[in-house]
Amino acid sequence: MTATQSMTRQGLLDAVAQIPREQVAILPTALEEAPRLRAALGPNAPRIFIKRDDLTGLAFGGNKVRHLEFRLADMKAKGCDALVVTNVAQSNHARLHTALAAKHGLTPYIIKIPSDKDDPINGNLLLDHIMGAQIIEAPDAEPDTISGMLEDLIKRLESEGRTVYNVPNDSFSKIAGSCGYLVGTVELLDQLDAVGATADHIYLASGTSSAGLALGGKALDAGYRVHPVSVGQARPQIEEYVCTVANGAAELIGLDTRLQPSDISVHDEYIGERYGVPTAAGLEALKLAGRTEGLILDPVYTAKAMSALIDHVRAGRIDREETVVFVHTGGLPITYAYASEIVASLQGSDGEGA
Ligand SMILES: Cc1ncc(COP(=O)(O)O)c(C=O)c1O
């Protein structure tokens, strides 16, 4: 699609409006400038805005609350009275699906994949317990084990007369996040207009949200580049995933635009050892955001994403005349489950203790 053919924001919203949606999130979320973070990054740092999608409202918020607006409507259309997710203890996804289920009278089931954050019960897992999740412990993290357990659980529940929403495998569920962030694209562009700014770059932890922002930006010819920062998988896998979910959403709502890997800049250099293990750069980003902006990042997603932005600014890969939006995708409860790693990093870095 060329610039002259790009669709209008209202056209994009109308296209998304074909898909049933229920209000769940408190929108719009704030767009805040981060001048002290910018100053801390040196004289050549760009203008930085934070899109506060950690403040979407449901059970400690996060980007996924936008996704849930579409998933809830789909669950209702399918007459579901239970939902199932398969996640680790510190999953934001599991916590927010549990919250949604609690609020709308469905029974939430979590097939819990073992991880080194199972014990003590803390962070997201604590919230899952508070909100009444039915937690089924998987014996190991093998994909075949988990998919077998998911299949068995759904069969059992269906035999008991339940109608179950299979969150990981439902075909609409897989692209609901991108639909949420097509709406989020328009919200962000309107807010940037209101402060007379134009985004050149958008940074966030990679996933369906980054897919929606990239597809929305391309369809609207918004002129920004999305930087999905991987927190676990290698770049080719992320590129394929982001384009697949974006294009699934485009097809569903009848957009002509399609996303290809060259449209996005996926970064996989900030993962560190593996998913769920904090990095020194991420912990430094967490501390810097906290101490310059009173902004809390989590060590698994948003701190690693911020460490990519910080590294790119310091390396001069972003011009000081440019404008960056960092989408804070939430994950705040995770912070508590990583208290020991965070405290050790604070003590090591400034010697003043936590
Ligand atoms: C805090 C946070 N940010 C980003 C993501 C990325 O995935 P998505 O955009 O599909 O939600 C996740 C997924 O678990 C997440 O929990």
Side-chain angles (χ1 to χ4, degrees), residues 129-206:
H129 279 279
I130 291 172
M131 296 184 289
Q134 305 295 304
I135 299 173
I136 301 156
E137 307 277 347
D140 61 65
E142 288 305 316
D144 286 350
T145 307
I146 305 303
S147 59
M149 288 181 73
L150 178 62
E151 214 174 290
D152 290 349
L153 175 63
I154 291 178
K155 253 190 229 149
R156 174 171 73 76
L157 292 171
E158 286 177 347
S159 75
E160 292 166 3
R162 313 295 301 270
T163 305
V164 186
Y165 198 76
N166 182 341
V167 178
N169 293 330
D170 179 277
S171 61
F172 174 72
S173 174
K174 287 176 197 257
I175 58 170
S178 299
C179 297
Y181 273 86
L182 289 173
V183 178
T185 300
V186 175
E187 182 181 305
L188 174 62
L189 292 173
D190 286 348
Q191 288 176 316
L192 287 164
D193 280 356
V195 294
T198 309
D200 299 292
H201 304 278
I202 297 182
Y203 279 73
L204 74 167
S206 66

Side-chain angles (χ1 to χ4, degrees), residues 63-64 67 91-93 177 181 204-210 241 275 298 301-302 329-331 334:
N63 61 327
K64 290 170 192 303
H67 313 177
S91 166
N92 301 310
H93 184 81
Y181 273 86
L204 74 167
S206 66
T208 57
S209 311
S210 57
Y241 178 66
Y275 171 81
D298 82 285
Y301 293 94
T302 50
T329 49
I334 296 179

Side-chain angles (χ1 to χ4, degrees), residues 222-271:
Y224 60 68
R225 191 159 185 86
V226 175
H227 298 255
V229 180
S230 174
V231 300
Q233 289 177 309
R235 185 160 62 99
Q237 287 163 274
I238 299 287
E239 285 176 344
E240 194 193 325
Y241 178 66
V242 168
C243 291
T244 301
V245 291
N247 294 337
E251 202 171 311
L252 183 69
I253 64 171
L255 283 194
D256 293 336
T257 312
R258 291 291 181 275
L259 206 65
Q260 49 203 42
S262 58
D263 293 319
I264 52 177
S265 296
V266 172
H267 307 289
D268 65 359
E269 308 91 326
Y270 302 92
I271 299 167

Side-chain angles (χ1 to χ4, degrees), residues 99-110:
L100 185 82
K103 191 167 162 129
H104 292 273
L106 287 82
T107 312
Y109 290 88
I110 302 174

